[in-house]
Amino acid sequence: MTDQFGREISYLRLSVTDLCNLRCAYCMPAEGVAKKRHAEILSVEEIGELVSAAAALGVRKVRLTGGEPLVRRGIVDICKAVAQTQGIIETCMTTNAVLLPDFAAQLRGAGVSRLNISLDTLNPERYCALTRGGDLASALRGIDAAREYGFAPIKINAVLIDGFNTDEIRELASLSRLADTHVRFIELMPIGDSADFSGGKYVSDGAVLRAMPELEPRGSDGVARLYGFPGASGTVGLISPISSHFCPSCNRVRITSDGQLKPCLHSADEISLRGLHGAALLDAMRAGFFGKPRRHALDTGKISAAARNMNAIGG
Ligand code: SAM
Ligand code: SF4
């Protein structure tokens, strides 16, 4: 269906947990998050019902996210339920890759077609510091496992952080020279309890083009402006929620792991879908889709109005 501004809503980002095996400084508080009671989190059956309703309203693509989706108990069953929902033509996942050696084959079998992998640095000490204890080698093994089990193309997402990884822009972008690999640089968004960390570390994506003037324009996919190294088939994308937001072409809505529909990432507005079924669920969802705001108000120097940390939204 279209929203009040004529945008076709076809993409659902579904968070399956707030929990994570890492603690990235821009996403989560250092102490982690309190585990929600089992009853607070959507069950596999509820997820199936929500995705069916979203599909009935025109959603065609679902991305499973979190927190870290692979720490959610029953994640493979969730993937299967989503992928088998009538109307859903693409089921994908965003992950930090650490658990992919255990899960890549099962995800493939469950119908997940594509993986986006978050990786902000190729330096082990920096990785450990930013993720507060993570092991870069584990994430790289996860990326290898994704390739081994046929996930292609793979997208690597890197958040640009001033004074942290701007000297690695070329090295990260060069991953796009590998077969079936695309790299996306994402602007850092000050949000939730981590807004203090992010304040002052924002880097406009123009830094990427200045670091690699040889990049050739390769069009746009609606969200990212695409470039590529001469001769490389992989692309380097710039996702600029702050410097050039893509709200006019935004086709996405979010559902949190506790069943709140969020029509816009950077708004505090949430619509509870919990306990709704049938026509009541469809009506609530339709109202949320329709009322999606024209644009978010996260401009340079501002803090997101979202009333949650990123791990509790799904990015
Ligand atoms: N754990 C998974 C992962 O890291 O890929 C999925 C959830 S994570 C919240 C989804 C995406 O949000 C990641 O690519 C992460 O880098 C991004 N993210 C989290 N906090 C962010 C922030 N403050 N600004 C920009 N991107 C952020
Ligand atoms: Fe976990 Fe992903 Fe947030 Fe990092 S960005 S703390 S991996 S949810």
Side-chain angles (χ1 to χ4, degrees):
M1 63 170 279
T2 51
D3 73 359
Q4 59 181 327
F5 301 109
R7 294 169 297 194
E8 191 74 42
I9 305 300
S10 57
Y11 176 16
L12 170 64
R13 294 180 69 103
L14 178 68
S15 174
V16 293
T17 180
D18 293 359
L19 301 177
C20 188
N21 46 356
L22 300 179
R23 302 259 185 286
C24 300
Y26 51 62
C27 177
M28 261 203 181
E31 64 279 13
V33 292
K35 192 171 177 192
K36 287 198 163 75
R37 284 180 300 113
H38 183 65
E40 291 176 75
I41 297 292
L42 294 170
S43 66
V44 180
E45 293 70 29
E46 286 175 297
I47 288 175
E49 207 176 341
L50 290 174
V51 172
S52 290
L57 295 180
V59 164
R60 296 291 169 259
K61 169 176 168 181
V62 176
R63 176 173 300 284
L64 298 156
T65 176
E68 172 49 42
L70 294 179
V71 305
R72 165 72 199 252
R73 192 181 298 174
I75 185 62
V76 177
D77 290 336
I78 292 173
C79 293
K80 267 187 208 146
V82 172
Q84 287 169 7
T85 302
Q86 195 177 356
I88 299 301
I89 53 181
E90 193 178 354
T91 303
C92 37
M93 181 180 283
T94 298
T95 171
N96 61 34
V98 169
L99 293 174
L100 279 179
D102 298 332
F103 280 101
Q106 297 179 72
L107 296 180
R108 195 99 194 117
V112 175
S113 53
R114 289 203 294 155
L115 294 176
N116 282 8
I117 293 174
S118 306
L119 184 70
D120 305 320
T121 174
L122 292 165
N123 173 305
E125 286 78 35
R126 289 181 184 181
Y127 185 87
C128 181
L130 183 70
T131 60
R132 302 191 179 104
D135 172 32
L136 176 64
S138 305
L140 297 179
R141 276 197 294 276
I143 296 176
D144 288 344
R147 289 188 200 292
E148 187 182 333
Y149 288 99
F151 286 100
I154 289 176
K155 277 189 196 160
I156 309 276
N157 290 335
V159 177
L160 285 168
I161 307 166
D162 196 23
F164 176 74
N165 61 1
T166 40
D167 58 346
E168 289 185 73
I169 287 177
R170 179 173 286 279
E171 202 184 345
L172 287 162
S174 294
L175 296 173
S176 70
R177 297 180 190 274
L178 301 174
D180 289 321
T181 309
H182 301 283
V183 177
R184 300 277 178 270
F185 289 101
I186 302 174
E187 290 179 342
L188 179 64
M189 298 175 271
I191 184 165
D193 294 330
S194 309
D196 278 356
F197 169 86
S198 304
K201 296 189 182 64
Y202 165 79
V203 185
S204 142
D205 60 17
V208 175
L209 300 178
R210 285 193 294 280
M212 298 171 296
E214 73 272 35
L215 285 179
E216 303 167 339
R218 300 262 178 95
S220 154
D221 65 4
V223 171
R225 283 170 292 134
L226 302 177
Y227 298 83
F229 288 111
S233 61
T235 55
V236 176
L238 306 183
I239 301 184
S240 325
I242 298 181
S243 70
S244 67
H245 66 92
F246 48 86
C247 306
S249 60
C250 184
N251 62 351
R252 56 187 67 185
V253 290
R254 293 170 165 79
I255 295 180
T256 62
S257 62
D258 53 356
Q260 301 290 316
L261 172 65
K262 279 187 71 67
C264 174
L265 168 61
H266 294 299
S267 160
D269 290 348
E270 299 185 350
I271 295 156
S272 179
L273 302 176
R274 210 69 204 276
L276 300 179
H277 306 280
L281 173 58
L282 276 173
D283 286 348
M285 221 181 237
R286 193 180 288 115
F289 285 20
F290 186 76
K292 186 174 162 67
R294 182 189 291 275
R295 61 157 296 181
H296 69 62
L298 182 61
D299 297 315
T300 315
K302 288 204 181 149
I303 293 178
S304 172
R308 292 172 179 250
N309 293 327
M310 200 63 124
N311 67 290
I313 302 175

